Amino acid sequence: MPQHRILYLSTHQLVAYRWSRGVVHQEASFDSGGTGLPAFEAYLQQHRSSIFHLLANLAEEGFQLETIPFLQSTDRKSVIARKLSQLFYTTPYTAAQSLGYEKTRRKDENVLFTALTSATTLEPWIAAIEEARVALSGVYSLPFLGSALLRKLKIPDERCLLLTLQDQSIRETYFEKGALHFSRLSPLAHTSIGGIAQGFATEALKLHQYLLSQRLVARNQPIRAVIVSHPQALKAVEASCVNTDSLSYEIISTDHAASAIGLKSAPSDSHADTLFAHLLAQAAPAVQFAP
């Protein structure tokens, strides 16, 4: 059977993982400039029989909630394609996810239109993959794996925030009934344990305020923020994240999260990269961005 390899792309580098029997092994990393691309091309040649999955964790993303009429088959596809081209005309890396139908006579459909808006970040790596003629399952965005993580952690909330540490940044994502509605990546000013803890608390509050301003959540509606952090940072995170009437916290260790998703090797630091790499290898999300 072919081996599965995860290509984890951030703004500054691409990291290659090999996934085997519930264990994620980091094999190589390639800088976005200099000798990174030629080294990546050589890496692809060494593993031509593998199946690759490209997982992007980029700040340059777009999310737009829209309502479209109840349509089927080619009419629906045409409307969605037209909407994507209007909203995100600078990138071919677009996708749409249905969020269900309104309970009215018209049964209008709620749709999340989304895109990886920085095509220039993706294109050199995609071109290398095409040139090497290796199998690529798709281009995926990290926020769309959050619903799988929440499900494995048995988080039942109808609405919740998920915060993880990624690439010296905090990934903040809002979910309703398990479906992604919005996500963003915020740089982390200080990478000490105290800095990470304070960053989680600050960004959870900021995201909650943003959701209130966009009327995505009601002012009197309690919401839970789920934070995944390394065991050594748990006490600091718990001390920084103080519950309020509208926002409560659930702090989960990376060890517990790894066990819940079936990852046999827990992350050695607070970064959740390997958790998401494992989730992608287990089951890719329905939303993918490759044209």
Side-chain angles (χ1 to χ4, degrees):
M1 291 180 64
Q3 289 187 318
H4 289 262
R5 286 180 159 83
I6 312 298
L7 304 174
Y8 179 88
L9 177 64
S10 62
T11 303
H12 304 295
Q13 66 175 354
L14 182 145
V15 179
Y17 296 96
R18 176 171 59 86
W19 185 86
S20 177
R21 298 180 180 180
V23 180
V24 176
H25 305 272
Q26 181 175 329
E27 290 189 321
S29 62
F30 312 95
D31 292 335
S32 57
T35 60
L37 195 57
F40 177 61
E41 292 168 349
Y43 172 81
L44 291 173
Q45 291 300 325
Q46 294 170 10
H47 304 290
R48 287 178 55 84
S49 62
S50 294
I51 296 175
F52 289 88
H53 316 260
L54 181 58
L55 179 58
N57 183 46
L58 303 172
E60 297 84 1
E61 302 166 295
F63 300 94
Q64 185 70 40
L65 293 168
E66 298 271 350
T67 301
I68 64 172
F70 177 80
L71 299 167
Q72 294 178 313
S73 191
T74 55
D75 290 337
R76 179 179 180 274
K77 289 180 181 178
S78 296
V79 168
I80 287 176
R82 184 167 66 250
K83 280 277 189 181
L84 286 170
S85 65
Q86 291 170 347
L87 291 168
F88 309 112
Y89 56 87
T90 61
T91 177
Y93 302 104
T94 62
Q97 181 181 43
S98 177
L99 299 177
Y101 296 87
E102 294 187 348
K103 295 178 181 179
T104 64
R105 247 179 169 179
R106 294 175 56 183
K107 295 184 181 178
D108 289 345
E109 184 179 7
N110 298 310
V111 180
L112 176 66
F113 294 94
T114 179
L116 303 173
T117 56
S118 180
T120 55
T121 302
L122 285 154
E123 284 168 351
W125 309 104
I126 297 291
I129 291 167
E130 290 178 340
E131 182 67 24
R133 300 183 66 83
V134 297
L136 179 67
S137 71
V139 176
Y140 304 95
S141 177
L142 186 141
F144 283 92
L145 287 163
S147 57
L149 179 57
L150 290 174
R151 191 165 57 251
K152 299 271 188 178
L153 292 172
K154 298 181 179 179
I155 303 296
D157 301 59
E158 183 171 337
R159 294 175 174 83
C160 73
L161 315 180
L162 175 64
L163 291 89
T164 58
L165 186 63
Q166 317 280 155
D167 314 320
Q168 311 306 319
S169 300
I170 292 177
R171 167 61 69 180
E172 315 157 30
T173 309
Y174 170 58
F175 296 88
E176 282 191 18
K177 298 180 180 178
L180 183 149
H181 278 233
F182 178 76
S183 187
R184 67 185 182 191
L185 198 62
S186 298
L188 189 63
H190 303 287
T191 56
S192 64
I193 287 178
I196 292 171
Q198 189 56 52
F200 277 133
T202 301
E203 294 305 325
L205 288 169
K206 283 183 179 179
L207 179 56
H208 187 229
Q209 288 299 316
Y210 172 80
L211 296 172
L212 287 170
S213 70
Q214 297 298 307
R215 297 183 179 178
L216 292 173
V217 297
R219 291 199 173 273
N220 59 350
Q221 186 175 58
I223 193 166
R224 177 157 49 165
V226 179
I227 296 176
V228 180
S229 179
H230 192 272
Q232 293 181 355
L234 288 184
K235 287 185 178 180
V237 175
E238 289 168 354
S240 295
C241 297
V242 180
N243 292 341
T244 66
D245 291 340
S246 57
L247 185 62
S248 62
Y249 296 89
E250 180 164 346
I251 319 299
I252 295 172
S253 74
T254 48
D255 286 5
H256 174 70
S259 176
I261 68 175
L263 177 61
K264 296 177 182 178
S265 53
S268 58
D269 55 24
S270 289
H271 293 80
D273 307 356
T274 56
L275 297 177
F276 288 103
H278 177 75
L279 287 167
L280 178 57
Q282 277 188 321
V287 177
Q288 76 87 27
F289 293 77

